[in-house]
Amino acid sequence: MSPYRIAAVIDFLALADRLKHVERRGRTVSPDGAARQENSAEHCWNVALVALLLHGEVPDPPDLGHVLAMIAAHDLVEVEAGDTFAYDEAHILTQAARERAAADVVFGRLPPDLGTRMRALWEEFEEGETAAARFAMACDRAQGFLQGVIGTGHWRAEGVSEAQTTKRMDPARKVAPVFEALIATLYERARQGGMFAEQAP
């Protein structure tokens, strides 16, 4: 690897390190009960763990290495665009444009071949047309929902009802029976914990 290429990779990894400082709405709770916001780097690691655990549970599982590569790439644009809360309708309207512009910046920091490869992984995840992308998406959404439940819920404080979450979670539930079972169990726990806001009349 040439000195230029090594320097570019280091520069990119330093940029990617900023993902550790992009806060999400989900909270994480320490063993002593202290809570703080989850960050996007922690989220990506946990999505990868979901993929590792559930990969063998789905019919015709996609290539795991490719899935994990997509998961590693899927939120990198957030170092420039920030995280978009799934239930912030106004922010969601501009999300695609903001993230495309961020992708130009983030993946443009790499040598062209590596930048093209990383951007292709991000685009495949976003488009959701391949079996690998659908599996990765289901892992991503399952992790986000799981974090809401184990982090003592943030939906009630955000004014998010159970019905609002259904639209987001249904595509993940349809990927494979294991996702349906996992997410259904999380819904039961969320209801028992009173974690949702009341449905608007």
Side-chain angles (χ1 to χ4, degrees):
M1 189 178 276
S2 71
Y4 157 75
R5 197 169 173 87
I6 288 172
V9 168
I10 291 172
D11 182 53
F12 178 79
L13 291 172
L15 177 68
D17 189 69
R18 288 166 42 193
L19 204 60
K20 297 172 185 175
H21 302 280
V22 175
E23 288 189 343
R24 293 169 54 85
R25 296 294 178 95
R27 296 175 66 76
T28 180
V29 181
S30 70
D32 65 4
R36 63 168 174 80
Q37 301 303 117
E38 175 194 32
N39 68 56
S40 287
E42 292 167 329
H43 160 72
C44 289
W45 163 77
N46 215 340
V47 175
L49 191 57
V50 172
L52 285 170
L53 293 172
L54 300 189
H55 181 258
E57 304 294 327
V58 300
D60 301 316
D63 180 79
L64 183 58
H66 187 64
V67 168
L68 293 175
M70 253 191 293
I71 290 169
H74 87 283
D75 273 345
L76 284 170
V77 297
E78 292 185 3
V79 300
E80 290 289 328
D83 179 63
T84 300
F85 183 45
Y87 305 102
D88 181 345
E89 294 182 8
H91 213 193
I92 286 171
L93 292 176
T94 64
Q95 181 179 7
R98 286 184 291 105
E99 291 189 351
R100 278 195 304 273
D104 292 341
V105 174
V106 172
F107 301 124
R109 297 284 283 272
L110 284 165
D113 62 317
L114 291 177
T116 298
R117 178 183 172 211
M118 293 297 290
R119 184 166 188 143
L121 289 166
W122 173 74
E123 288 177 346
E124 182 181 354
F125 180 91
E126 290 297 312
E127 291 163 3
E129 295 180 357
T130 64
R134 288 190 293 273
F135 177 76
M137 173 276 297
C139 293
D140 177 56
R141 297 200 181 177
Q143 189 281 332
F145 202 78
L146 168 70
Q147 196 67 48
V149 173
I150 66 176
T152 68
H154 58 278
W155 303 290
R156 177 178 287 281
E158 300 285 353
V160 177
S161 69
E162 179 177 344
Q164 286 174 277
T165 69
T166 302
K167 181 178 179 182
R168 180 163 179 80
M169 298 310 298
D170 278 354
R173 295 173 91 151
K174 293 175 183 174
V175 167
V178 68
F179 287 105
E180 170 61 35
L182 175 74
I183 293 167
T185 301
L186 290 172
Y187 266 104
E188 289 174 11
R189 294 187 183 187
R191 290 184 200 111
Q192 289 168 4
M195 295 181 180
F196 298 114
E198 296 299 323
Q199 178 68 52

